[in-house]
Amino acid sequence: MSRTTFTLDDLKRILLEGSGVPEGADLRADILDTDFTDIGYDSLALLETTSRVEREYGIELDETVLGDATTPRAFVDAVGSHLSAQPV
Protein backbone atom coordinates (compact mmCIF):
# COMPACT_ATOMS: atom_id res chain seq x y z
CA MET A 1 0.00 0.00 0.00
CA SER A 2 1.42 3.39 -0.95
CA ARG A 3 1.38 6.37 1.34
CA THR A 4 -1.09 9.15 0.70
CA THR A 5 0.43 12.04 2.63
CA PHE A 6 3.80 13.77 2.60
CA THR A 7 4.78 16.15 5.37
CA LEU A 8 7.68 18.41 6.25
CA ASP A 9 8.84 15.75 8.70
CA ASP A 10 8.88 13.20 5.86
CA LEU A 11 10.97 15.58 3.76
CA LYS A 12 13.41 16.25 6.61
CA ARG A 13 13.82 12.52 7.25
CA ILE A 14 14.52 11.81 3.59
CA LEU A 15 16.94 14.74 3.32
CA LEU A 16 18.81 13.50 6.39
CA GLU A 17 18.96 9.91 5.12
CA GLY A 18 20.20 10.90 1.69
CA SER A 19 22.34 13.97 2.27
CA GLY A 20 22.76 14.52 5.98
CA VAL A 21 22.66 17.96 7.56
CA PRO A 22 24.65 20.69 5.83
CA GLU A 23 27.20 22.41 8.03
CA GLY A 24 25.55 25.23 9.96
CA ALA A 25 22.00 24.17 9.06
CA ASP A 26 19.31 23.74 11.72
CA LEU A 27 16.49 21.59 10.38
CA ARG A 28 14.58 22.14 13.62
CA ALA A 29 14.21 25.82 12.70
CA ASP A 30 11.33 27.15 10.61
CA ILE A 31 12.64 26.23 7.16
CA LEU A 32 9.36 25.92 5.26
CA ASP A 33 9.90 29.05 3.17
CA THR A 34 13.70 29.04 3.08
CA ASP A 35 15.35 28.25 -0.23
CA PHE A 36 17.03 24.86 -0.23
CA THR A 37 20.30 26.55 -1.26
CA ASP A 38 20.11 28.81 1.81
CA ILE A 39 19.64 25.72 4.00
CA GLY A 40 22.71 24.18 2.34
CA TYR A 41 21.19 21.64 -0.04
CA ASP A 42 22.37 21.74 -3.64
CA SER A 43 20.72 20.36 -6.78
CA LEU A 44 22.42 16.98 -6.34
CA ALA A 45 20.93 16.62 -2.83
CA LEU A 46 17.49 17.52 -4.19
CA LEU A 47 17.85 15.04 -7.04
CA GLU A 48 18.67 12.32 -4.50
CA THR A 49 15.71 13.43 -2.35
CA THR A 50 13.35 13.32 -5.32
CA SER A 51 14.57 9.84 -6.23
CA ARG A 52 14.06 8.61 -2.66
CA VAL A 53 10.55 10.10 -2.51
CA GLU A 54 9.63 8.39 -5.78
CA ARG A 55 10.87 5.00 -4.55
CA GLU A 56 9.36 5.26 -1.08
CA TYR A 57 5.98 6.56 -2.22
CA GLY A 58 5.74 4.58 -5.46
CA ILE A 59 5.25 7.67 -7.60
CA GLU A 60 6.95 9.40 -10.49
CA LEU A 61 7.35 13.13 -10.08
CA ASP A 62 7.38 15.46 -13.04
CA GLU A 63 10.83 16.89 -13.78
CA THR A 64 9.53 20.39 -13.13
CA VAL A 65 9.02 19.55 -9.43
CA LEU A 66 12.75 19.72 -8.87
CA GLY A 67 13.11 23.02 -10.71
CA ASP A 68 10.00 24.70 -9.32
CA ALA A 69 10.18 23.52 -5.72
CA THR A 70 12.89 25.78 -4.36
CA THR A 71 11.66 25.65 -0.76
CA PRO A 72 10.56 22.82 1.52
CA ARG A 73 6.98 24.16 1.43
CA ALA A 74 6.91 24.04 -2.37
CA PHE A 75 8.40 20.53 -2.41
CA VAL A 76 5.96 19.18 0.19
CA ASP A 77 3.03 20.82 -1.65
CA ALA A 78 4.14 19.39 -5.01
CA VAL A 79 4.48 15.86 -3.64
CA GLY A 80 1.20 16.19 -1.73
CA SER A 81 -0.62 17.36 -4.87
CA HIS A 82 0.79 14.44 -6.81
CA LEU A 83 -0.24 11.96 -4.12
CA SER A 84 -3.77 13.35 -3.91
CA ALA A 85 -4.17 12.99 -7.68
CA GLN A 86 -3.27 9.28 -7.56
CA PRO A 87 -6.15 6.84 -7.96
CA VAL A 88 -6.96 4.90 -4.79
Side-chain angles (χ1 to χ4, degrees):
M1 182 168 105
S2 63
R3 296 180 180 192
T4 58
T5 60
F6 186 76
T7 67
L8 179 59
D9 287 337
D10 295 321
L11 175 59
K12 287 179 182 180
R13 176 183 51 76
I14 291 170
L15 282 167
L16 288 171
E17 290 171 356
S19 302
V21 178
E23 187 174 328
D26 181 7
L27 296 185
R28 294 169 294 158
D30 182 11
I31 62 165
L32 263 177
D33 296 310
T34 305
D35 282 352
F36 281 112
T37 54
D38 292 339
I39 298 169
Y41 290 109
D42 60 13
S43 59
L44 184 58
L46 295 178
L47 186 61
E48 173 66 19
T49 299
T50 300
S51 177
R52 286 173 176 263
V53 168
E54 288 178 331
R55 283 192 311 269
E56 186 172 322
Y57 287 78
I59 59 175
E60 187 173 326
L61 296 170
D62 188 83
E63 291 178 11
T64 58
V65 168
L66 189 57
D68 293 344
T70 59
T71 66
R73 181 186 307 272
F75 193 92
V76 168
D77 288 350
V79 173
S81 293
H82 189 83
L83 289 171
S84 67
Q86 294 294 314
V88 231

